[in-house]
């Protein structure tokens, strides 16, 4: 039965989200989740500073005697670039910087990464995804017609990052994910980034060449093996500080000659 159209009384979300729910005031569950669950626990004041300092002390203690105490994935975008700057210059961490070349990167992304790495004098490790395998899987996703077409690229990036963290015996993975600029509900009904079964099934139906080297990291490996057996921890430092994107852009441009993108995720030809 087709649902009667409704839009949230507080935001632009509507019944194009098939799982959306509304309360008696017409507020959607996205908004209620933010006000009831995220906002009360999102502290960018002294409480956030204290919590971040506690986490940083633990990272430094666990990394004592090692070349790196954390790993940071960088795309060249504002969030990951600012995170790298903040972690190195403000928190005094010793990160290994990790980038994934999926074949879709624009020159501005590559140049931004190089500027940040050189300006901060940190080590960069880049994993290059086999372009023929990437194209084949991406085309398979087009043919499958599933809604989230960026799964191949996103999965490769995070799978490679987590795998290399474990490979280099680095427990702490710092990411630029943050509530300030991308406060989304989890799980999203049409995004299955760690669903290797789905990836393999789509590729089996529509792909033409074996995925011999394509980075893969399933739900069990990510949520159980890496976290509980290897002790890997995901940390989002930008959630503990007053993070304002325009101010971050201005700082990066002034200090590193970093160049902004025209829109979010426009470092990639695909997105």
């Amino acid at each position: 039965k087709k649902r009667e159209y409704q839009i949230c009384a507080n935001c632009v979300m509507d019944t194009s989200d098939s799982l959306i729910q509304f309360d008696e005031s017409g507020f959607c569950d996205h908004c209620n989740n933010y006000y009831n669950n995220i906002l009360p626990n999102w502290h960018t004041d002294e409480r956030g500073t204290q919590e971040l300092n506690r986490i940083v002390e633990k990272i430094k203690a666990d990394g004592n005697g090692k070349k790196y105490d954390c790993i940071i994935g960088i795309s060249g975008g504002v969030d990951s670039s600012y995170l790298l700057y903040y972690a190195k210059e403000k928190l005094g961490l010793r990160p290994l910087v990790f980038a994934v070349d999926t074949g879709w990167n624009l020159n501005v992304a590559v140049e931004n990464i190089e500027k940040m790495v050189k300006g901060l004098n940190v080590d960069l490790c880049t994993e290059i995804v086999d372009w023929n395998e990437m194209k084949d899987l991406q085309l398979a996703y087009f043919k499958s017609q599933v809604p989230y077409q960026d799964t191949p690229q996103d999965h490769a990036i995070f799978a490679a990052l987590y795998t290399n963290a474990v490979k280099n015996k680095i427990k702490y993975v710092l990411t630029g994910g943050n509530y300030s600029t991308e406060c989304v509900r989890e799980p999203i009904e049409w995004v299955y980034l760690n669903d290797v079964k789905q990836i393999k099934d789509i590729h089996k139906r529509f792909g033409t060449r074996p995925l011999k080297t394509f980075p893969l990291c399933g739900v069990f490996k990510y949520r159980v093996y890496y976290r509980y057996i290897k002790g890997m921890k995901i940390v989002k430092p930008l959630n503990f500080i007053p993070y304002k994107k325009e101010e971050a852009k201005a700082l990066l441009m002034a200090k590193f000659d970093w160049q902004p993108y025209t829109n979010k995720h426009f470092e990639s030809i695909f997105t």
Side-chain angles (χ1 to χ4, degrees):
K1 183 179 179 180
K2 189 173 182 180
R3 191 174 182 183
E4 183 179 350
Y5 179 79
Q6 186 174 353
I7 187 170
C8 177
N10 188 59
C11 76
V12 298
M13 291 300 296
D14 60 17
T15 42
S16 61
D17 172 2
S18 63
L19 298 182
I20 199 169
Q21 299 294 325
F22 298 95
D23 64 16
E24 61 279 2
S25 300
F27 278 39
C28 71
D29 52 340
H30 294 272
C31 289
N32 286 325
N33 177 60
Y34 172 74
Y35 290 123
N36 298 328
N37 301 320
I38 294 175
L39 191 58
N41 300 299
W42 179 20
H43 305 301
T44 59
D45 53 12
E46 185 61 29
R47 289 173 293 179
T49 300
Q50 292 176 359
E51 178 64 14
L52 182 57
N53 288 340
R54 184 189 67 78
I55 295 171
V56 169
E57 287 177 8
K58 186 73 167 62
I59 294 175
K60 290 180 178 179
D62 288 347
N64 187 35
K66 300 177 181 178
K67 187 174 183 180
Y68 311 109
D69 52 25
C70 61
I71 188 170
I72 296 178
I74 187 170
S75 66
V78 58
D79 296 340
S80 61
S81 296
Y82 187 80
L83 169 65
L84 176 58
Y85 156 77
Y86 197 87
K88 175 71 164 41
E89 298 296 292
K90 299 298 184 181
L91 302 179
L93 295 172
R94 296 176 287 108
L96 170 63
V97 183
F98 188 80
V100 180
D101 183 355
T102 62
W104 290 113
N105 288 358
L106 286 165
N107 287 337
V108 63
V110 177
E111 291 168 359
N112 278 348
I113 293 172
E114 291 175 349
K115 290 174 181 176
M116 296 302 302
V117 169
K118 183 178 180 180
L120 292 167
N121 191 29
V122 291
D123 292 337
L124 171 67
C125 176
T126 301
E127 177 155 339
I128 300 175
V129 179
D130 183 279
W131 180 230
N132 289 320
E133 292 184 21
M134 184 76 221
K135 285 191 296 183
D136 191 60
L137 183 58
Q138 197 77 70
L139 183 58
Y141 263 74
F142 276 132
K143 292 178 179 179
S144 75
Q145 300 185 56
V146 296
Y148 195 67
Q149 288 291 315
D150 207 23
T151 292
Q153 184 172 209
D154 276 358
H155 185 91
I157 291 170
F158 286 103
L161 174 63
Y162 299 148
T163 299
N164 275 272
V166 172
K167 178 182 177 181
N168 287 282
K169 298 181 180 180
I170 300 173
K171 289 178 61 175
Y172 294 91
V173 178
L174 274 57
T175 79
N178 63 89
Y179 293 138
S180 179
T181 68
E182 51 185 22
C183 188
V184 295
R185 182 177 66 177
E186 296 289 353
I188 303 173
E189 63 176 292
W190 37 263
V191 178
Y192 309 96
L193 296 186
N194 296 114
D195 192 345
V196 171
K197 186 175 181 180
Q198 185 205 56
I199 292 172
K200 289 183 176 180
D201 183 64
I202 288 174
H203 184 258
K204 182 179 179 180
R205 292 170 186 244
F206 304 106
T208 60
R209 64 169 58 236
L211 298 179
K212 293 181 178 180
T213 63
F214 191 86
L216 293 171
C217 177
V219 174
F220 176 81
K221 184 183 285 187
Y222 168 61
R223 295 191 180 275
V224 179
Y225 180 69
Y226 283 171
R227 293 194 177 191
Y228 296 102
I229 306 301
K230 293 298 185 179
M232 186 180 77
K233 301 181 187 302
I234 311 297
V235 181
K236 300 180 179 180
L238 299 184
N239 279 340
F240 298 94
I241 65 174
Y243 178 57
K244 299 178 180 179
K245 179 164 279 193
E246 293 307 314
E247 292 180 6
K249 287 180 180 179
L251 182 145
L252 294 172
M253 292 168 69
K255 281 184 172 291
F256 305 100
D257 191 31
W258 177 94
Q259 295 302 309
Y261 305 150
T262 54
N263 212 328
K264 187 173 180 63
H265 290 313
F266 273 31
E267 73 278 10
S268 163
I269 296 169
F270 184 83
T271 49

